[in-house]
Amino acid sequence: MTRSVTALAAFLLAALLAGCGMFADKIDPRKEWGAEQYYKAAKDELDQAAWDAAIKLYEQLESKFPFGRYAQQAQLEVAYAYYKQGETAQALAALDKFVKLHPNHPSIDYALYLRAVVNFKEDLGPLAKVISQ
């Protein structure tokens, strides 16, 4: 009886180890990416107008690499993606965060311009659809 228990245990262990190999392809390939790879992938998504995917990648970039030029640029790009997606409140929040964190950044003028554009679009109201301004 101990032989059958040992054989069953060996079989279950082998099946368990073989089962782990089935999930190897589910491992995130971005796990080993650096800030530049995240930024390039997010920029590609942004260029293809895949706003949700771009926002997700930019936010992952910012959370994994919070310091540096890629994270700063990601904050601006997230605001732009939210604006293009029509999420004005989130775009304004992202821009306010950028302005507060980086008041002397070389792209601060772009951030202020984008904030004005977002505010202008938000202030048009329902008449904007009729006039198509």
Side-chain angles (χ1 to χ4, degrees), residues 41-113:
K43 184 70 171 154
D44 290 343
E45 295 291 341
L46 190 73
D47 291 342
Q48 295 173 12
W51 312 124
D52 286 330
I55 290 169
K56 183 179 175 185
L57 285 169
Y58 281 130
E59 287 176 347
Q60 288 175 353
L61 164 67
E62 191 179 352
S63 68
K64 292 184 183 211
F65 305 98
F67 306 107
R69 64 186 180 127
Y70 290 113
Q72 293 173 358
Q73 188 64 31
Q75 291 172 353
L76 281 175
E77 306 270 346
V78 162
Y80 177 75
Y82 278 133
Y83 161 69
K84 293 300 284 184
Q85 195 175 33
E87 301 288 338
T88 56
Q90 291 176 321
L92 289 173
L95 288 165
D96 289 342
K97 176 184 169 185
F98 179 82
V99 170
K100 186 181 283 188
L101 291 175
H102 313 289
N104 296 324
H105 193 274
S107 297
I108 195 72
D109 55 344
Y110 173 73
L112 296 174
Y113 164 76

